[in-house]
Amino acid sequence: MSFIHLDAEALYAELLRGVKGLIAMSAGPLKLVGVTSGGAWLAARLQRELGLEGEIGVISSAMHRDDYKQRGLSASSEQTRLPFDVDGTQVLLIDDVLYTGRTIRAVINELFDYGRPASVQLAVLVDRGGRELPMQADFAAVRLTLPVSQSFELARDAQGHFSFVVQDKNAEA
């Protein structure tokens, strides 16, 4: 079995650079909206380090998941909080890992429950391929392919530093 090691802090620096570029190319101010939970951590740090005004939005995919009946609502899942009017707003979704596209589809459905944004862009830390739906990031700090048997998620320590947890699903069985 091969293990992949990625420096989450180095990738965050690349994400920061990419988000600065998306902001510079934007026709107007962007509102950062982080996908729970890793994307919300990233968005909060980006908001702070970029010196953007206001609060980030946090969005959950829980209520619009296509596997809701199997998964239910996670007790640990943060709920959607959008502290701005979505109508006419340019939204930049931030997520940690883009995989099948199903979470992003659910998040966009949730976002439209709150209004009709002028535009929606997506920036991710890792695009791991394996798409099942036609979702694509406007910016990805890294694109790589992982085996389906591996799960990959962002972790954050008490000081706010990022790392990755990679698990082999076959080893858990």
Side-chain angles (χ1 to χ4, degrees):
M1 179 180 111
S2 65
F3 256 130
I4 188 162
H5 176 61
L6 292 174
D7 182 341
E9 284 296 321
L11 290 179
Y12 172 79
E14 184 63 16
L15 179 67
L16 178 63
R17 184 192 66 74
V19 168
K20 283 180 182 177
L22 291 173
I23 289 170
M25 293 180 354
S26 176
L30 291 174
K31 294 291 189 178
L32 300 185
V33 176
V35 178
T36 60
S37 59
W41 300 337
L42 292 165
R45 187 163 157 189
L46 287 165
Q47 179 90 357
R48 185 175 61 254
E49 291 182 6
L50 291 168
L52 301 176
E53 293 183 16
E55 282 184 70
I56 66 158
V58 175
I59 196 159
S60 170
S61 66
M63 297 306 287
H64 289 280
R65 298 268 326 182
D66 57 8
D67 58 356
Y68 183 77
K69 288 182 182 175
Q70 290 84 19
R71 292 175 56 150
L73 187 59
S74 171
S76 64
S77 173
E78 187 174 355
Q79 297 305 301
T80 297
R81 180 181 44 78
L82 298 171
F84 52 83
D85 185 10
V86 171
D87 284 326
T89 299
Q90 295 185 60
V91 172
L92 178 55
L93 291 175
I94 307 291
D95 204 3
D96 52 356
V97 179
L98 176 58
Y99 183 28
T100 64
R102 293 182 180 281
T103 296
I104 297 304
R105 185 220 39 95
V107 161
I108 290 172
N109 283 356
E110 177 79 359
L111 183 63
F112 274 80
D113 283 351
Y114 287 81
R116 185 171 186 225
S119 67
V120 179
Q121 291 179 288
L122 174 63
V124 299
L125 202 57
V126 177
D127 180 343
R128 66 168 282 178
R131 216 74 77 239
E132 295 173 4
L133 297 175
M135 300 291 173
Q136 179 175 316
D138 295 283
F139 181 84
V142 70
R143 296 178 197 278
L144 56 91
T145 303
L146 289 175
V148 174
S149 64
Q150 286 185 336
S151 70
F152 190 75
E153 72 182 62
L154 189 65
R156 179 179 66 166
D157 68 17
Q159 290 75 40
H161 296 108
F162 299 124
S163 63
F164 291 109
V165 177
V166 181
Q167 295 179 336
D168 189 338
K169 296 175 189 174
N170 295 333
E172 296 171 3

